[in-house]
């Protein structure tokens, strides 16, 4: 049984990229593996400046994780800030990663550039050290993520290797696991950019809680490419390729096989919209049910927190002992 860990930030609404790139695969692996999934509110703090939104977003995201199908009896869903071990190990990680390594992170460079006129926190820069702590605390073998997180998993491995070399074998080396279709869902209005709550307007983003009519409209208006043949060609037809990947992921086929069913862009857009509506409908209704019983939701999270803390506390103690810090 592999130990699996992956996390998601409570910033904005969950979208189709999050679902196809990550959440769906968390659910798929929960019965074969020992799985831990964190709602990483400390990571969200790197860009949070408004009071009284983070807690509500955290609870809503918990409802969404159960709504997509995580089963609280087998999957451990926890809130990062409820476990002090994440912050504690993060400092040790900061002392095990170099300034140069952090400077090479493309996510930092992109986010800092986009926030040019805004406040760029030091936390945005040291973010990968906290992420390394999230992963290494759980002795995770596998980290199911979208393509955009690969670099963060690589740096986590490098940090673990360095720590193990300095202080003796302490951490498990994790590897990223990405899905065949859906690892990089692109914005429907701008298929050269990934679908992302922080980069674009709502018309190119499909949210898991969107009404069916809104989803169909977004797909109908999706930007496609010149020409009219439906072929799967990421480099030359990024818009069509994105639709084919989404359709393939939603209907469990390959983009190539999906392409063979269509001769026109219009029919492809309509079919993709319909497949996504069908896939998301049960999630939306379960989400609303769960949000109607906040007491029960909070109880499920507390249960996850307790299970997660047992593992995290043991790993942190192991790290302190490996370094040889004075026990209190
Ligand atoms: P976050 O919150 O931005 O995204 C959560 C998950 O969704 C995936 N994802 C996508 N996949 C495909 N196409 C897209 N357009 C798309 N957009 C997002 C992400 O790859 C991710 O798997 N740094 C992480 C959170 C994190 C984490 C961790 C992840 C903190 N600690 C430990 C794994 C392990 C992040 O910002 O993900």
């Amino acid at each position: 049984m592999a130990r699996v860990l992956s996390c998601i930030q409570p910033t904005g609404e969950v979208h189709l990229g999050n679902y196809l790139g990550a959440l769906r695969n968390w659910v798929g692996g929960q019965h074969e593996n020992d799985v831990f999934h964190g709602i990483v509110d400390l990571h969200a703090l790197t860009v949070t400046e408004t009071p009284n939104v983070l807690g509500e977003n955290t609870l809503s995201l918990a409802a969404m994780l159960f709504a997509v199908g995580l089963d609280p009896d087998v999957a451990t869903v926890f809130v990062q800030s409820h476990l002090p071990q994440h912050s504690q190990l993060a400092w040790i990680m900061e002392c095990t990663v170099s300034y140069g390594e952090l400077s090479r992170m493309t996510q930092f460079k992109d986010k800092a550039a986009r926030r040019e006129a805004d406040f760029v926190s030091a936390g945005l820069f040291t973010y990968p050290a906290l992420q390394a702590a999230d992963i290494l605390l759980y002795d995770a073998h596998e980290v199911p993520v979208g393509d955009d997180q690969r670099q963060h998993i690589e740096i986590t491995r490098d940090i673990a290797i360095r720590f193990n070399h300095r202080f003796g074998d302490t951490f498990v080396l994790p590897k990223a696991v990405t899905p065949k279709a859906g690892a990089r869902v692109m914005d429907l209005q701008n298929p050269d950019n990934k679908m992302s709550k922080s980069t674009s307007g709502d018309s190119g983003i499909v949210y898991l809680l969107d009404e069916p009519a809104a989803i169909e409209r977004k797909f109908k208006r999706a930007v496609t490419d010149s020409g009219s043949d439906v072929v799967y060609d990421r480099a030359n037809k990024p818009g069509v390729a994105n639709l084919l990947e989404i359709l393939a992921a939603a209907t469990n086929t390959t983009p190539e096989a999906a392409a063979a069913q269509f001769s026109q862009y219009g029919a492809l857009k309509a079919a993709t919209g319909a497949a996504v509506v069908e896939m998301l409908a049960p999630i939306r209704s379960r989400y609303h049910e769960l949000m109607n019983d906040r007491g029960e939701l909070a109880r499920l999270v507390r249960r996850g927190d307790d299970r997660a803390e047992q593992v995290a506390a043991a790993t942190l103690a192991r790290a302190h002992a490996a370094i040889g810090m004075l026990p209190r």
Side-chain angles (χ1 to χ4, degrees), residues 7 9 17-18 21-22 43 127 131 134 145-146 148-149 182-183 185 195:
C7 305
Q9 295 193 68
N18 299 131
H43 277 99
Y127 181 114
Q131 182 158 349
D134 300 337
V145 283
D148 62 338
Q149 292 300 316
V185 177
M195 190 176 282

Side-chain angles (χ1 to χ4, degrees), residues 3-5 7 34-39 74-86 133-134 136-139 300-316:
R3 176 62 70 71
V4 171
L5 170 125
C7 305
D34 184 19
V35 308
F36 288 77
H37 294 298
I39 300 172
V74 296
T76 299
V77 174
F78 64 92
V79 173
Q80 185 187 36
S81 69
H82 294 177
L83 281 68
Q85 293 81 8
H86 286 254
D134 300 337
L136 299 181
L137 275 175
Y138 296 90
D139 293 330
L300 293 178
V301 170
R302 249 193 325 272
R303 207 164 118 201
D305 289 345
D306 290 343
R307 282 208 299 251
E309 187 155 23
Q310 284 181 16
V311 178
T315 312
L316 181 68

Side-chain angles (χ1 to χ4, degrees), residues 2-328:
R3 176 62 70 71
V4 171
L5 170 125
S6 196
C7 305
I8 179 168
Q9 295 193 68
T11 42
E13 277 190 55
V14 179
H15 57 69
L16 191 61
N18 299 131
Y19 182 64
L20 295 179
L23 304 188
R24 198 162 80 137
N25 306 302
W26 301 2
V27 174
Q30 67 182 336
H31 292 293
E32 291 83 60
N33 302 306
D34 184 19
V35 308
F36 288 77
H37 294 298
I39 300 172
V40 288
D41 52 348
L42 297 175
H43 277 99
L45 273 188
T46 57
V47 294
T48 297
E49 287 157 19
T50 323
N52 298 325
V53 290
L54 196 52
E56 182 63 20
N57 286 350
T58 300
L59 193 76
S60 150
L61 185 52
M64 187 53 93
L65 295 188
F66 295 122
V68 298
L70 284 178
D71 171 357
D73 286 334
V74 296
T76 299
V77 174
F78 64 92
V79 173
Q80 185 187 36
S81 69
H82 294 177
L83 281 68
Q85 293 81 8
H86 286 254
S87 311
Q88 287 175 278
L89 189 64
W91 177 253
I92 295 176
M93 300 291 102
E94 283 187 43
C95 299
T96 315
V97 69
S98 71
Y99 178 84
E101 284 169 315
L102 291 177
S103 308
R104 286 193 288 277
M105 292 293 107
T106 51
Q107 187 156 314
F108 170 70
K109 288 192 267 188
D110 290 351
K111 283 194 183 171
R114 253 185 282 124
R115 296 179 64 80
E116 202 176 308
D118 294 318
F119 181 75
V120 176
S121 66
L124 207 52
F125 184 66
T126 59
Y127 181 114
L130 179 58
Q131 182 158 349
D134 300 337
I135 297 169
L136 299 181
L137 275 175
Y138 296 90
D139 293 330
H141 305 105
E142 295 179 6
V143 187
V145 283
D147 230 16
D148 62 338
Q149 292 300 316
R150 278 189 173 279
Q151 201 184 26
H152 284 160
I153 316 306
E154 279 310 306
I155 199 175
T156 299
R157 264 183 95 85
D158 294 342
I159 294 174
I161 289 170
R162 185 171 299 131
F163 186 100
N164 289 350
H165 183 71
R166 280 185 186 162
F167 301 116
D169 223 4
T170 306
F171 295 122
V172 171
L173 304 188
K175 73 168 195 291
V177 181
T178 51
K180 279 200 192 73
R184 196 169 180 79
V185 177
M186 308 308 272
D187 187 293
L188 298 183
Q189 287 300 314
N190 188 354
D192 291 324
N193 287 344
K194 71 169 182 184
M195 190 176 282
S196 162
K197 40 205 171 192
S198 53
T199 47
S200 57
D202 277 352
S203 53
I205 307 180
V206 176
Y207 294 105
L208 266 52
L209 295 177
D210 274 345
E211 298 285 332
I215 297 176
E216 277 163 7
R217 185 163 9 95
K218 286 176 181 179
F219 278 102
K220 207 173 282 169
R221 294 187 186 156
V223 168
T224 39
D225 312 288
S226 55
S228 58
D229 295 344
V230 178
V231 286
Y232 180 58
D233 180 347
R234 262 230 178 246
N236 297 309
K237 292 199 167 211
V240 172
N242 191 36
L243 293 175
L244 288 169
E245 285 204 20
I246 293 170
L247 180 61
T251 57
N252 290 317
T253 173
T254 62
E256 290 83 359
Q261 300 166 25
F262 298 95
S263 55
Q264 287 173 337
Y265 291 168
L268 170 63
K269 290 182 189 182
T272 308
V276 170
V277 165
E278 194 180 318
M279 176 176 71
L280 298 184
I283 296 175
R284 225 170 91 239
S285 63
R286 273 200 302 271
Y287 169 85
H288 291 298
E289 274 170 34
L290 284 154
M291 283 302 276
N292 279 335
D293 190 350
R294 286 163 174 253
E296 170 64 5
L297 200 51
R299 196 186 65 77
L300 293 178
V301 170
R302 249 193 325 272
R303 207 164 118 201
D305 289 345
D306 290 343
R307 282 208 299 251
E309 187 155 23
Q310 284 181 16
V311 178
T315 312
L316 181 68
R318 211 165 69 221
H320 285 165
I323 297 169
M325 295 175 85
L326 183 66
R328 65 178 280 202

